[in-house]
PDB file of all heavy atoms in Angstrom:
ATOM      1  N   VAL A   1      -7.114  -5.048 -13.956  1.00 97.00           N
ATOM      2  CA  VAL A   1      -8.213  -4.110 -13.996  1.00 97.00           C
ATOM      3  C   VAL A   1      -8.128  -3.243 -15.223  1.00 97.00           C
ATOM      4  O   VAL A   1      -7.053  -2.997 -15.758  1.00 97.00           O
ATOM      5  CB  VAL A   1      -8.270  -3.205 -12.745  1.00 97.00           C
ATOM      6  CG1 VAL A   1      -8.676  -4.040 -11.540  1.00 97.00           C
ATOM      7  CG2 VAL A   1      -6.914  -2.523 -12.467  1.00 97.00           C
ATOM      8  N   GLN A   2      -9.293  -2.729 -15.670  1.00 97.00           N
ATOM      9  CA  GLN A   2      -9.300  -1.894 -16.841  1.00 97.00           C
ATOM     10  C   GLN A   2      -9.015  -0.420 -16.465  1.00 97.00           C
ATOM     11  O   GLN A   2      -9.383   0.000 -15.377  1.00 97.00           O
ATOM     12  CB  GLN A   2     -10.633  -2.030 -17.557  1.00 97.00           C
ATOM     13  CG  GLN A   2     -10.863  -3.345 -18.163  1.00 97.00           C
ATOM     14  CD  GLN A   2     -12.089  -3.371 -19.083  1.00 97.00           C
ATOM     15  OE1 GLN A   2     -13.007  -2.589 -18.927  1.00 97.00           O
ATOM     16  NE2 GLN A   2     -12.163  -4.369 -19.963  1.00 97.00           N
ATOM     17  N   PRO A   3      -8.496   0.323 -17.408  1.00 98.00           N
ATOM     18  CA  PRO A   3      -8.317   1.772 -17.141  1.00 98.00           C
ATOM     19  C   PRO A   3      -9.628   2.418 -16.836  1.00 98.00           C
ATOM     20  O   PRO A   3     -10.663   2.038 -17.415  1.00 98.00           O
ATOM     21  CB  PRO A   3      -7.757   2.276 -18.498  1.00 98.00           C
ATOM     22  CG  PRO A   3      -7.133   1.095 -19.133  1.00 98.00           C
ATOM     23  CD  PRO A   3      -7.968  -0.072 -18.759  1.00 98.00           C
ATOM     24  N   GLY A   4      -9.648   3.332 -15.928  1.00 97.00           N
ATOM     25  CA  GLY A   4     -10.883   3.980 -15.522  1.00 97.00           C
ATOM     26  C   GLY A   4     -11.647   3.282 -14.429  1.00 97.00           C
ATOM     27  O   GLY A   4     -12.532   3.879 -13.863  1.00 97.00           O
ATOM     28  N   GLY A   5     -11.275   2.080 -14.153  1.00 97.00           N
ATOM     29  CA  GLY A   5     -11.963   1.274 -13.070  1.00 97.00           C
ATOM     30  C   GLY A   5     -11.425   1.654 -11.755  1.00 97.00           C
ATOM     31  O   GLY A   5     -10.592   2.534 -11.531  1.00 97.00           O
ATOM     32  N   SER A   6     -11.956   0.925 -10.722  1.00 97.00           N
ATOM     33  CA  SER A   6     -11.545   1.109  -9.330  1.00 97.00           C
ATOM     34  C   SER A   6     -11.093  -0.235  -8.732  1.00 97.00           C
ATOM     35  O   SER A   6     -11.450  -1.267  -9.250  1.00 97.00           O
ATOM     36  CB  SER A   6     -12.693   1.681  -8.552  1.00 97.00           C
ATOM     37  OG  SER A   6     -13.131   2.907  -8.997  1.00 97.00           O
ATOM     38  N   LEU A   7     -10.292  -0.092  -7.708  1.00 97.00           N
ATOM     39  CA  LEU A   7      -9.709  -1.252  -7.069  1.00 97.00           C
ATOM     40  C   LEU A   7      -9.520  -0.912  -5.617  1.00 97.00           C
ATOM     41  O   LEU A   7      -9.171   0.211  -5.205  1.00 97.00           O
ATOM     42  CB  LEU A   7      -8.395  -1.572  -7.701  1.00 97.00           C
ATOM     43  CG  LEU A   7      -7.660  -2.853  -7.299  1.00 97.00           C
ATOM     44  CD1 LEU A   7      -8.394  -4.045  -7.851  1.00 97.00           C
ATOM     45  CD2 LEU A   7      -6.283  -2.819  -7.781  1.00 97.00           C
ATOM     46  N   THR A   8      -9.774  -1.885  -4.755  1.00 98.00           N
ATOM     47  CA  THR A   8      -9.463  -1.737  -3.346  1.00 98.00           C
ATOM     48  C   THR A   8      -8.541  -2.841  -2.866  1.00 98.00           C
ATOM     49  O   THR A   8      -8.835  -4.020  -3.049  1.00 98.00           O
ATOM     50  CB  THR A   8     -10.734  -1.805  -2.447  1.00 98.00           C
ATOM     51  OG1 THR A   8     -11.641  -0.695  -2.874  1.00 98.00           O
ATOM     52  CG2 THR A   8     -10.448  -1.678  -1.005  1.00 98.00           C
ATOM     53  N   LEU A   9      -7.385  -2.412  -2.398  1.00 98.00           N
ATOM     54  CA  LEU A   9      -6.383  -3.315  -1.862  1.00 98.00           C
ATOM     55  C   LEU A   9      -6.571  -3.426  -0.402  1.00 98.00           C
ATOM     56  O   LEU A   9      -6.906  -2.444   0.291  1.00 98.00           O
ATOM     57  CB  LEU A   9      -5.018  -2.860  -2.209  1.00 98.00           C
ATOM     58  CG  LEU A   9      -4.666  -2.700  -3.669  1.00 98.00           C
ATOM     59  CD1 LEU A   9      -3.230  -2.113  -3.829  1.00 98.00           C
ATOM     60  CD2 LEU A   9      -4.809  -3.956  -4.422  1.00 98.00           C
ATOM     61  N   SER A  10      -6.326  -4.581   0.172  1.00 98.00           N
ATOM     62  CA  SER A  10      -6.405  -4.792   1.667  1.00 98.00           C
ATOM     63  C   SER A  10      -5.008  -5.231   2.162  1.00 98.00           C
ATOM     64  O   SER A  10      -4.342  -5.900   1.503  1.00 98.00           O
ATOM     65  CB  SER A  10      -7.419  -5.907   1.979  1.00 98.00           C
ATOM     66  OG  SER A  10      -8.688  -5.561   1.531  1.00 98.00           O
ATOM     67  N   CYS A  11      -4.806  -4.781   3.363  1.00 98.00           N
ATOM     68  CA  CYS A  11      -3.552  -5.134   4.103  1.00 98.00           C
ATOM     69  C   CYS A  11      -3.973  -5.660   5.419  1.00 98.00           C
ATOM     70  O   CYS A  11      -4.412  -4.880   6.339  1.00 98.00           O
ATOM     71  CB  CYS A  11      -2.698  -3.919   4.211  1.00 98.00           C
ATOM     72  SG  CYS A  11      -1.219  -4.171   5.262  1.00 98.00           S
ATOM     73  N   ALA A  12      -3.894  -6.966   5.589  1.00 97.00           N
ATOM     74  CA  ALA A  12      -4.330  -7.624   6.860  1.00 97.00           C
ATOM     75  C   ALA A  12      -3.191  -7.817   7.763  1.00 97.00           C
ATOM     76  O   ALA A  12      -2.195  -8.362   7.334  1.00 97.00           O
ATOM     77  CB  ALA A  12      -5.047  -8.899   6.521  1.00 97.00           C
ATOM     78  N   ALA A  13      -3.371  -7.497   8.994  1.00 96.00           N
ATOM     79  CA  ALA A  13      -2.247  -7.626   9.992  1.00 96.00           C
ATOM     80  C   ALA A  13      -2.527  -8.825  10.862  1.00 96.00           C
ATOM     81  O   ALA A  13      -3.642  -9.112  11.174  1.00 96.00           O
ATOM     82  CB  ALA A  13      -2.210  -6.340  10.847  1.00 96.00           C
ATOM     83  N   SER A  14      -1.483  -9.499  11.270  1.00 94.00           N
ATOM     84  CA  SER A  14      -1.545 -10.589  12.200  1.00 94.00           C
ATOM     85  C   SER A  14      -0.380 -10.459  13.189  1.00 94.00           C
ATOM     86  O   SER A  14       0.608  -9.820  12.891  1.00 94.00           O
ATOM     87  CB  SER A  14      -1.571 -11.942  11.573  1.00 94.00           C
ATOM     88  OG  SER A  14      -0.354 -12.136  10.847  1.00 94.00           O
ATOM     89  N   GLY A  15      -0.553 -10.981  14.354  1.00 93.00           N
ATOM     90  CA  GLY A  15       0.499 -10.875  15.339  1.00 93.00           C
ATOM     91  C   GLY A  15       0.356  -9.721  16.259  1.00 93.00           C
ATOM     92  O   GLY A  15       1.003  -9.633  17.265  1.00 93.00           O
ATOM     93  N   ASN A  16      -0.463  -8.711  15.809  1.00 91.00           N
ATOM     94  CA  ASN A  16      -0.686  -7.568  16.628  1.00 91.00           C
ATOM     95  C   ASN A  16      -1.755  -6.724  15.943  1.00 91.00           C
ATOM     96  O   ASN A  16      -1.936  -6.819  14.747  1.00 91.00           O
ATOM     97  CB  ASN A  16       0.631  -6.689  16.722  1.00 91.00           C
ATOM     98  CG  ASN A  16       0.710  -5.976  18.134  1.00 91.00           C
ATOM     99  OD1 ASN A  16      -0.292  -5.693  18.724  1.00 91.00           O
ATOM    100  ND2 ASN A  16       1.908  -5.655  18.517  1.00 91.00           N
ATOM    101  N   THR A  17      -2.405  -5.929  16.726  1.00 88.00           N
ATOM    102  CA  THR A  17      -3.353  -4.966  16.064  1.00 88.00           C
ATOM    103  C   THR A  17      -2.586  -3.752  15.656  1.00 88.00           C
ATOM    104  O   THR A  17      -1.427  -3.498  16.012  1.00 88.00           O
ATOM    105  CB  THR A  17      -4.492  -4.571  17.047  1.00 88.00           C
ATOM    106  OG1 THR A  17      -3.881  -4.023  18.245  1.00 88.00           O
ATOM    107  CG2 THR A  17      -5.374  -5.765  17.418  1.00 88.00           C
ATOM    108  N   LEU A  18      -3.236  -2.946  14.839  1.00 93.00           N
ATOM    109  CA  LEU A  18      -2.547  -1.777  14.227  1.00 93.00           C
ATOM    110  C   LEU A  18      -2.555  -0.501  14.967  1.00 93.00           C
ATOM    111  O   LEU A  18      -2.008   0.499  14.558  1.00 93.00           O
ATOM    112  CB  LEU A  18      -3.197  -1.549  12.812  1.00 93.00           C
ATOM    113  CG  LEU A  18      -2.987  -2.705  11.853  1.00 93.00           C
ATOM    114  CD1 LEU A  18      -3.747  -2.463  10.546  1.00 93.00           C
ATOM    115  CD2 LEU A  18      -1.566  -3.012  11.581  1.00 93.00           C
ATOM    116  N   ASP A  19      -3.139  -0.536  16.155  1.00 92.00           N
ATOM    117  CA  ASP A  19      -3.219   0.733  16.929  1.00 92.00           C
ATOM    118  C   ASP A  19      -1.942   1.248  17.452  1.00 92.00           C
ATOM    119  O   ASP A  19      -1.811   2.407  17.927  1.00 92.00           O
ATOM    120  CB  ASP A  19      -4.281   0.609  18.047  1.00 92.00           C
ATOM    121  CG  ASP A  19      -3.948  -0.567  18.979  1.00 92.00           C
ATOM    122  OD1 ASP A  19      -3.288  -1.476  18.569  1.00 92.00           O
ATOM    123  OD2 ASP A  19      -4.511  -0.573  20.102  1.00 92.00           O
ATOM    124  N   LYS A  20      -0.869   0.452  17.322  1.00 93.00           N
ATOM    125  CA  LYS A  20       0.465   1.009  17.733  1.00 93.00           C
ATOM    126  C   LYS A  20       1.378   1.253  16.569  1.00 93.00           C
ATOM    127  O   LYS A  20       2.554   1.534  16.697  1.00 93.00           O
ATOM    128  CB  LYS A  20       1.174  -0.087  18.633  1.00 93.00           C
ATOM    129  CG  LYS A  20       0.445  -0.316  19.948  1.00 93.00           C
ATOM    130  CD  LYS A  20       1.214  -1.389  20.808  1.00 93.00           C
ATOM    131  CE  LYS A  20       0.669  -1.557  22.145  1.00 93.00           C
ATOM    132  NZ  LYS A  20      -0.786  -1.986  22.068  1.00 93.00           N
ATOM    133  N   TYR A  21       0.766   1.267  15.376  1.00 96.00           N
ATOM    134  CA  TYR A  21       1.514   1.413  14.121  1.00 96.00           C
ATOM    135  C   TYR A  21       1.038   2.474  13.189  1.00 96.00           C
ATOM    136  O   TYR A  21      -0.134   2.841  13.258  1.00 96.00           O
ATOM    137  CB  TYR A  21       1.569   0.103  13.402  1.00 96.00           C
ATOM    138  CG  TYR A  21       2.167  -1.042  14.164  1.00 96.00           C
ATOM    139  CD1 TYR A  21       1.375  -1.906  14.890  1.00 96.00           C
ATOM    140  CD2 TYR A  21       3.548  -1.281  14.090  1.00 96.00           C
ATOM    141  CE1 TYR A  21       1.936  -2.947  15.583  1.00 96.00           C
ATOM    142  CE2 TYR A  21       4.159  -2.328  14.767  1.00 96.00           C
ATOM    143  CZ  TYR A  21       3.315  -3.125  15.573  1.00 96.00           C
ATOM    144  OH  TYR A  21       3.888  -4.189  16.217  1.00 96.00           O
ATOM    145  N   THR A  22       1.974   2.965  12.407  1.00 96.00           N
ATOM    146  CA  THR A  22       1.585   3.731  11.185  1.00 96.00           C
ATOM    147  C   THR A  22       1.668   2.762  10.035  1.00 96.00           C
ATOM    148  O   THR A  22       2.589   1.948   9.916  1.00 96.00           O
ATOM    149  CB  THR A  22       2.571   4.855  10.950  1.00 96.00           C
ATOM    150  OG1 THR A  22       2.517   5.820  12.021  1.00 96.00           O
ATOM    151  CG2 THR A  22       2.383   5.492   9.599  1.00 96.00           C
ATOM    152  N   ILE A  23       0.670   2.752   9.181  1.00 97.00           N
ATOM    153  CA  ILE A  23       0.619   1.839   7.986  1.00 97.00           C
ATOM    154  C   ILE A  23       0.652   2.740   6.749  1.00 97.00           C
ATOM    155  O   ILE A  23      -0.068   3.715   6.604  1.00 97.00           O
ATOM    156  CB  ILE A  23      -0.635   1.000   7.986  1.00 97.00           C
ATOM    157  CG1 ILE A  23      -0.728   0.236   9.289  1.00 97.00           C
ATOM    158  CG2 ILE A  23      -0.571   0.049   6.783  1.00 97.00           C
ATOM    159  CD1 ILE A  23       0.329  -0.725   9.570  1.00 97.00           C
ATOM    160  N   GLY A  24       1.452   2.301   5.805  1.00 97.00           N
ATOM    161  CA  GLY A  24       1.525   3.015   4.549  1.00 97.00           C
ATOM    162  C   GLY A  24       1.491   2.015   3.368  1.00 97.00           C
ATOM    163  O   GLY A  24       1.700   0.837   3.504  1.00 97.00           O
ATOM    164  N   TRP A  25       1.116   2.528   2.202  1.00 98.00           N
ATOM    165  CA  TRP A  25       1.176   1.780   0.980  1.00 98.00           C
ATOM    166  C   TRP A  25       2.243   2.382   0.115  1.00 98.00           C
ATOM    167  O   TRP A  25       2.491   3.602   0.081  1.00 98.00           O
ATOM    168  CB  TRP A  25      -0.138   1.941   0.231  1.00 98.00           C
ATOM    169  CG  TRP A  25      -1.274   1.134   0.850  1.00 98.00           C
ATOM    170  CD1 TRP A  25      -2.209   1.477   1.748  1.00 98.00           C
ATOM    171  CD2 TRP A  25      -1.573  -0.274   0.580  1.00 98.00           C
ATOM    172  NE1 TRP A  25      -3.041   0.465   2.086  1.00 98.00           N
ATOM    173  CE2 TRP A  25      -2.682  -0.686   1.375  1.00 98.00           C
ATOM    174  CE3 TRP A  25      -0.967  -1.264  -0.263  1.00 98.00           C
ATOM    175  CZ2 TRP A  25      -3.189  -1.923   1.367  1.00 98.00           C
ATOM    176  CZ3 TRP A  25      -1.559  -2.549  -0.308  1.00 98.00           C
ATOM    177  CH2 TRP A  25      -2.621  -2.867   0.543  1.00 98.00           C
ATOM    178  N   ILE A  26       2.971   1.479  -0.608  1.00 98.00           N
ATOM    179  CA  ILE A  26       4.067   1.885  -1.401  1.00 98.00           C
ATOM    180  C   ILE A  26       3.924   1.107  -2.729  1.00 98.00           C
ATOM    181  O   ILE A  26       3.503  -0.057  -2.737  1.00 98.00           O
ATOM    182  CB  ILE A  26       5.413   1.476  -0.734  1.00 98.00           C
ATOM    183  CG1 ILE A  26       5.549   2.135   0.585  1.00 98.00           C
ATOM    184  CG2 ILE A  26       6.547   1.833  -1.656  1.00 98.00           C
ATOM    185  CD1 ILE A  26       5.131   1.320   1.758  1.00 98.00           C
ATOM    186  N   ARG A  27       4.235   1.814  -3.817  1.00 98.00           N
ATOM    187  CA  ARG A  27       4.097   1.184  -5.116  1.00 98.00           C
ATOM    188  C   ARG A  27       5.436   1.085  -5.756  1.00 98.00           C
ATOM    189  O   ARG A  27       6.256   2.088  -5.771  1.00 98.00           O
ATOM    190  CB  ARG A  27       3.169   2.002  -5.993  1.00 98.00           C
ATOM    191  CG  ARG A  27       3.030   1.508  -7.443  1.00 98.00           C
ATOM    192  CD  ARG A  27       1.937   2.289  -8.179  1.00 98.00           C
ATOM    193  NE  ARG A  27       2.264   3.674  -8.367  1.00 98.00           N
ATOM    194  CZ  ARG A  27       1.304   4.595  -8.634  1.00 98.00           C
ATOM    195  NH1 ARG A  27       0.049   4.203  -8.794  1.00 98.00           N
ATOM    196  NH2 ARG A  27       1.646   5.836  -8.848  1.00 98.00           N
ATOM    197  N   GLN A  28       5.707  -0.053  -6.381  1.00 97.00           N
ATOM    198  CA  GLN A  28       6.897  -0.259  -7.167  1.00 97.00           C
ATOM    199  C   GLN A  28       6.506  -0.553  -8.629  1.00 97.00           C
ATOM    200  O   GLN A  28       5.999  -1.647  -8.843  1.00 97.00           O
ATOM    201  CB  GLN A  28       7.760  -1.340  -6.611  1.00 97.00           C
ATOM    202  CG  GLN A  28       9.028  -1.613  -7.378  1.00 97.00           C
ATOM    203  CD  GLN A  28       9.991  -0.436  -7.241  1.00 97.00           C
ATOM    204  OE1 GLN A  28      10.498  -0.219  -6.167  1.00 97.00           O
ATOM    205  NE2 GLN A  28      10.291   0.219  -8.319  1.00 97.00           N
ATOM    206  N   ALA A  29       6.648   0.398  -9.452  1.00 95.00           N
ATOM    207  CA  ALA A  29       6.223   0.182 -10.871  1.00 95.00           C
ATOM    208  C   ALA A  29       7.471  -0.242 -11.661  1.00 95.00           C
ATOM    209  O   ALA A  29       8.613   0.146 -11.327  1.00 95.00           O
ATOM    210  CB  ALA A  29       5.650   1.504 -11.444  1.00 95.00           C
ATOM    211  N   PRO A  30       7.290  -0.999 -12.771  1.00 90.00           N
ATOM    212  CA  PRO A  30       8.445  -1.441 -13.491  1.00 90.00           C
ATOM    213  C   PRO A  30       9.231  -0.318 -14.052  1.00 90.00           C
ATOM    214  O   PRO A  30       8.726   0.644 -14.642  1.00 90.00           O
ATOM    215  CB  PRO A  30       7.767  -2.233 -14.689  1.00 90.00           C
ATOM    216  CG  PRO A  30       6.453  -2.621 -14.152  1.00 90.00           C
ATOM    217  CD  PRO A  30       6.001  -1.461 -13.221  1.00 90.00           C
ATOM    218  N   GLY A  31      10.559  -0.359 -13.776  1.00 92.00           N
ATOM    219  CA  GLY A  31      11.463   0.642 -14.313  1.00 92.00           C
ATOM    220  C   GLY A  31      11.399   2.007 -13.618  1.00 92.00           C
ATOM    221  O   GLY A  31      11.987   2.955 -14.105  1.00 92.00           O
ATOM    222  N   LYS A  32      10.590   2.065 -12.570  1.00 94.00           N
ATOM    223  CA  LYS A  32      10.423   3.385 -11.876  1.00 94.00           C
ATOM    224  C   LYS A  32      10.913   3.246 -10.425  1.00 94.00           C
ATOM    225  O   LYS A  32      10.970   2.171  -9.899  1.00 94.00           O
ATOM    226  CB  LYS A  32       8.962   3.810 -11.941  1.00 94.00           C
ATOM    227  CG  LYS A  32       8.463   4.110 -13.307  1.00 94.00           C
ATOM    228  CD  LYS A  32       7.069   4.669 -13.259  1.00 94.00           C
ATOM    229  CE  LYS A  32       6.569   5.046 -14.658  1.00 94.00           C
ATOM    230  NZ  LYS A  32       5.172   5.581 -14.657  1.00 94.00           N
ATOM    231  N   GLU A  33      11.136   4.384  -9.893  1.00 93.00           N
ATOM    232  CA  GLU A  33      11.534   4.447  -8.497  1.00 93.00           C
ATOM    233  C   GLU A  33      10.355   4.128  -7.622  1.00 93.00           C
ATOM    234  O   GLU A  33       9.166   4.372  -7.945  1.00 93.00           O
ATOM    235  CB  GLU A  33      12.030   5.858  -8.123  1.00 93.00           C
ATOM    236  CG  GLU A  33      12.712   5.967  -6.757  1.00 93.00           C
ATOM    237  CD  GLU A  33      13.261   7.367  -6.573  1.00 93.00           C
ATOM    238  OE1 GLU A  33      13.606   8.033  -7.532  1.00 93.00           O
ATOM    239  OE2 GLU A  33      13.295   7.805  -5.387  1.00 93.00           O
ATOM    240  N   ARG A  34      10.601   3.528  -6.484  1.00 94.00           N
ATOM    241  CA  ARG A  34       9.548   3.276  -5.504  1.00 94.00           C
ATOM    242  C   ARG A  34       8.808   4.527  -5.134  1.00 94.00           C
ATOM    243  O   ARG A  34       9.433   5.584  -4.968  1.00 94.00           O
ATOM    244  CB  ARG A  34      10.237   2.576  -4.298  1.00 94.00           C
ATOM    245  CG  ARG A  34       9.193   2.112  -3.269  1.00 94.00           C
ATOM    246  CD  ARG A  34      10.002   1.645  -1.990  1.00 94.00           C
ATOM    247  NE  ARG A  34      10.282   2.758  -1.111  1.00 94.00           N
ATOM    248  CZ  ARG A  34      11.097   2.722  -0.032  1.00 94.00           C
ATOM    249  NH1 ARG A  34      11.756   1.584   0.138  1.00 94.00           N
ATOM    250  NH2 ARG A  34      11.250   3.724   0.709  1.00 94.00           N
ATOM    251  N   GLU A  35       7.526   4.413  -5.009  1.00 96.00           N
ATOM    252  CA  GLU A  35       6.690   5.608  -4.731  1.00 96.00           C
ATOM    253  C   GLU A  35       5.927   5.381  -3.443  1.00 96.00           C
ATOM    254  O   GLU A  35       5.148   4.453  -3.356  1.00 96.00           O
ATOM    255  CB  GLU A  35       5.782   5.912  -5.850  1.00 96.00           C
ATOM    256  CG  GLU A  35       4.903   7.176  -5.605  1.00 96.00           C
ATOM    257  CD  GLU A  35       4.028   7.540  -6.793  1.00 96.00           C
ATOM    258  OE1 GLU A  35       3.848   6.665  -7.709  1.00 96.00           O
ATOM    259  OE2 GLU A  35       3.505   8.682  -6.780  1.00 96.00           O
ATOM    260  N   GLU A  36       6.057   6.227  -2.511  1.00 95.00           N
ATOM    261  CA  GLU A  36       5.259   6.192  -1.307  1.00 95.00           C
ATOM    262  C   GLU A  36       3.902   6.793  -1.592  1.00 95.00           C
ATOM    263  O   GLU A  36       3.742   7.901  -2.121  1.00 95.00           O
ATOM    264  CB  GLU A  36       5.942   6.994  -0.163  1.00 95.00           C
ATOM    265  CG  GLU A  36       6.945   6.231   0.707  1.00 95.00           C
ATOM    266  CD  GLU A  36       8.172   5.763  -0.018  1.00 95.00           C
ATOM    267  OE1 GLU A  36       8.382   6.195  -1.227  1.00 95.00           O
ATOM    268  OE2 GLU A  36       8.924   4.975   0.469  1.00 95.00           O
ATOM    269  N   LEU A  37       2.892   6.017  -1.193  1.00 96.00           N
ATOM    270  CA  LEU A  37       1.450   6.430  -1.413  1.00 96.00           C
ATOM    271  C   LEU A  37       0.943   6.812   0.016  1.00 96.00           C
ATOM    272  O   LEU A  37       1.684   7.146   0.879  1.00 96.00           O
ATOM    273  CB  LEU A  37       0.784   5.152  -1.962  1.00 96.00           C
ATOM    274  CG  LEU A  37       1.267   4.717  -3.317  1.00 96.00           C
ATOM    275  CD1 LEU A  37       0.510   3.522  -3.836  1.00 96.00           C
ATOM    276  CD2 LEU A  37       1.198   5.825  -4.389  1.00 96.00           C
ATOM    277  N   PRO A  38      -0.395   6.876   0.208  1.00 97.00           N
ATOM    278  CA  PRO A  38      -0.864   7.395   1.497  1.00 97.00           C
ATOM    279  C   PRO A  38      -0.478   6.506   2.674  1.00 97.00           C
ATOM    280  O   PRO A  38      -0.143   5.346   2.559  1.00 97.00           O
ATOM    281  CB  PRO A  38      -2.348   7.351   1.298  1.00 97.00           C
ATOM    282  CG  PRO A  38      -2.635   7.385  -0.144  1.00 97.00           C
ATOM    283  CD  PRO A  38      -1.487   6.701  -0.771  1.00 97.00           C
TER     284      PRO A  38
END
C-alpha cells in the first residue's frame, strides 16, 4: 500500500465463534519489538 492510504485487515475465526474470546492485533516490524495494537 502507498503512504497515506488505508487498509483493512481481516481475522477470520474457525472452530468457534468469537463471543468467548478477546481478540487483538499485534504488529512485528523488521528490527523492532513486537507491538500490541487494539
Side-chain angles (χ1 to χ4, degrees):
V1 291
Q2 291 190 339
S6 297
L7 186 72
T8 298
L9 303 177
S10 300
C11 173
S14 61
N16 213 333
T17 55
L18 296 175
D19 53 340
K20 294 180 176 61
Y21 298 93
T22 295
I23 305 298
W25 286 94
I26 301 95
R27 176 172 66 199
Q28 180 69 65
K32 295 185 178 180
E33 189 176 333
R34 188 186 85 191
E35 182 179 13
E36 271 68 9
L37 302 177

